[in-house]
Amino acid sequence: MALVAGEASGDILGCGLMQALKVQHPDVSFIGVGGPRMEAEGLRSYFPMERLSVMGLVEVLGRLFELIFRRRRLVRTLIAERPDVFIGIDAPDFNLGLELKLRRAGIRTVHYVSPSVWAWRQKRVFKIREACDLMLTLFPFEARFYEEHDVPVCFVGHPLANTIPLQVDRTAARQVLGLSEQAEVVALMPGSRGGEVSRLGPLFLDAAVRLNSLRSGVQFVVPCASQPRREQLQEMLAGRNLGLQLLDGRSHEALAACDAVLIASGTATLEALLHKRPMVVAYRVANLTYRLLRRFMKTAYFSLPNLLAGRQLVPEYIQDAATPEVLAEAVAQLLKSGQEQTEGFAAIQQTLRLDASTQAANAVLKLVAD
């Protein structure tokens, strides 16, 4: 079998899938591109996965010729190897073109993790239908979209739904982080990238100052994705009187310990949902980007919890609607009563808790057997 992952999250998914495949076929062999986790499971990687880990338009343009060269070489190599199936893991800009050429050469293709085609640029679904024998989705609303467009699809659930326990120990997490058992604790999670933190960090910190005036004694924790993000937030704290603890990583401990979360829209909202922590979701982008998104967005909501719930389960604020006053009031309300959210989160976790790796392996093997 051949697999290609382009970043760390894909390496994790690929590792789980390979483990599940080996349970049923211990003699299976793997070729393609992956990271250290996939290589530890036996993948023969043709080149380092980091060569595909490119984010941002300028960065992609700077590496465009290399990416084109590597994809063309992969196409030739995999057509010569004739694997039973090719599985592209996320990285749609690279993998969908690869899948299209391999499928035309008679190799069955699977794409694992749907791009956000259901939200914007929906016409991409026609390319996906041409490129993939099977789409594996992490969320049920994605599968419904593909069914409506006649793309073979299998909803497999999300691995995190099995990784994060149904009941999270708040007391133990607070002990680990040195937080008071009696205090109200709010986690601030303004994103993991520098651009996100530059736009949302001051907003979230100002909201925390405002929240302190509404509810005295609140403790704040901020998990920092990296040392540069920590330094960025430390600079922003100057002049703001806040009892706040910066953490090096440890986002799961922060979520387990807190009573509510003010969080950037993105995959971290799924982690907050699975920890059953009431949340307020906010996001800001460049004004030009926002105008384009407003024009092309096809969904009523932008936050993942609301997309999964099919209704406005969590408050979500974007661009100018996200102000310190509005966010502070929304978090204060959740500290009083966030039960409706947590009950909704528990129901969603059950729908996602399917042992995704095993489900994905079963779907791949069924395709190979047909």
Side-chain angles (χ1 to χ4, degrees):
M1 293 188 179
L3 307 91
V4 169
E7 56 186 31
S9 60
D11 190 36
I12 294 170
L13 287 173
C15 171
L17 175 58
M18 291 167 68
Q19 290 172 343
L21 288 166
K22 288 196 291 186
V23 168
Q24 299 190 53
H25 291 276
D27 58 344
V28 64
S29 61
F30 302 103
I31 57 175
V33 180
R37 291 179 176 85
M38 293 172 67
E39 289 181 321
E41 292 300 322
L43 177 76
R44 177 159 58 94
S45 190
Y46 292 126
F47 56 82
M49 182 185 72
E50 289 72 24
R51 302 313 304 167
L52 303 182
S53 300
V54 187
M55 295 186 65
L57 179 61
V58 174
E59 292 82 0
V60 169
L61 288 175
R63 296 265 305 282
L64 184 60
F65 289 111
E66 178 191 351
L67 293 170
I68 291 173
F69 169 78
R70 290 192 182 279
R71 187 161 67 185
R72 286 177 176 171
R73 190 167 183 177
L74 263 178
V75 168
R76 292 195 298 268
T77 300
L78 293 175
I79 288 176
E81 292 282 353
R82 306 299 300 182
D84 293 300
V85 65
F86 172 83
I87 305 164
I89 305 172
D90 208 356
D93 292 332
F94 186 87
N95 275 328
L96 287 174
L98 181 56
E99 290 158 19
L100 179 62
K101 293 182 181 299
L102 294 177
R103 193 180 188 210
R104 287 174 175 172
I107 296 171
R108 281 171 285 201
T109 60
V110 176
H111 193 83
Y112 190 10
V113 183
S114 171
S116 300
V117 64
W118 38 268
W120 66 299
R121 291 174 58 200
Q122 291 193 354
K123 289 184 179 179
R124 289 179 294 169
V125 73
F126 301 116
K127 179 179 180 180
I128 291 170
R129 187 166 64 193
E130 189 177 357
C132 300
D133 288 291
L134 179 65
M135 171 66 71
L136 302 178
T137 72
L138 305 183
F139 303 117
F141 65 85
E142 296 173 323
R144 290 192 292 270
F145 174 84
Y146 286 108
E147 288 168 353
E148 291 168 0
H149 290 83
D150 299 319
V151 177
V153 63
C154 180
F155 161 55
V156 300
H158 200 291
L160 273 179
N162 286 88
T163 302
I164 297 173
L166 294 173
Q167 297 295 328
V168 178
D169 192 334
R170 191 193 313 265
T171 299
R174 290 195 176 192
Q175 289 174 348
V176 168
L177 297 179
L179 298 169
S180 167
E181 178 61 28
Q182 288 73 40
E184 288 184 326
V185 177
V186 172
L188 306 177
M189 301 182 68
S192 60
R193 301 188 182 102
E196 288 177 323
V197 174
S198 66
R199 288 187 294 269
L200 294 175
L203 172 66
F204 282 21
L205 293 175
D206 287 343
V209 172
R210 171 67 177 165
L211 182 60
N212 251 342
S213 69
L214 298 175
R215 299 179 73 86
S216 61
V218 175
Q219 295 184 13
F220 297 94
V221 293
V222 185
C224 304
S226 64
Q227 184 61 28
R229 299 294 78 76
R230 184 186 182 97
E231 293 170 0
Q232 199 175 359
L233 285 161
Q234 282 175 327
E235 291 180 6
M236 293 174 183
L237 281 169
R240 293 182 172 92
N241 185 22
L242 276 175
L244 183 147
Q245 183 178 352
L246 296 177
L247 307 173
D248 294 322
R250 310 183 77 172
S251 60
H252 283 204
E253 288 97 326
L255 288 169
C258 73
D259 297 293
V261 194
L262 176 56
I263 191 167
S265 180
T267 54
T269 60
L270 178 65
E271 297 177 0
L273 180 155
L274 295 172
H275 280 85
K276 324 295 188 309
R277 295 302 181 253
M279 74 183 85
V280 175
V281 182
Y283 210 64
R284 282 182 177 175
V285 295
N287 286 329
L288 177 59
T289 301
Y290 178 62
R291 288 198 293 270
L292 291 171
L293 286 174
R294 283 190 63 184
R295 183 176 178 181
F296 294 111
M297 281 289 289
K298 302 296 183 181
T299 60
Y301 311 108
F302 68 85
S303 66
L304 187 53
N306 288 341
L307 290 167
L308 287 166
R311 61 187 177 93
Q312 186 152 338
L313 179 60
V314 308
E316 57 177 38
Y317 302 97
I318 191 167
Q319 217 64 4
D320 293 339
T323 66
E325 295 76 19
V326 166
L327 298 181
E329 292 282 354
V331 174
Q333 186 59 43
L334 288 183
L335 289 172
K336 296 176 186 176
S337 176
Q339 185 176 359
E340 180 187 357
Q341 279 196 25
T342 56
E343 290 174 353
F345 296 163
I348 291 170
Q349 183 170 15
Q350 292 293 352
T351 68
L352 301 178
R353 196 178 173 87
L354 302 179
D355 188 356
S357 294
T358 298
Q359 295 292 337
N362 289 341
V364 169
L365 292 173
K366 184 177 184 299
L367 176 68
V368 171
D370 287 345

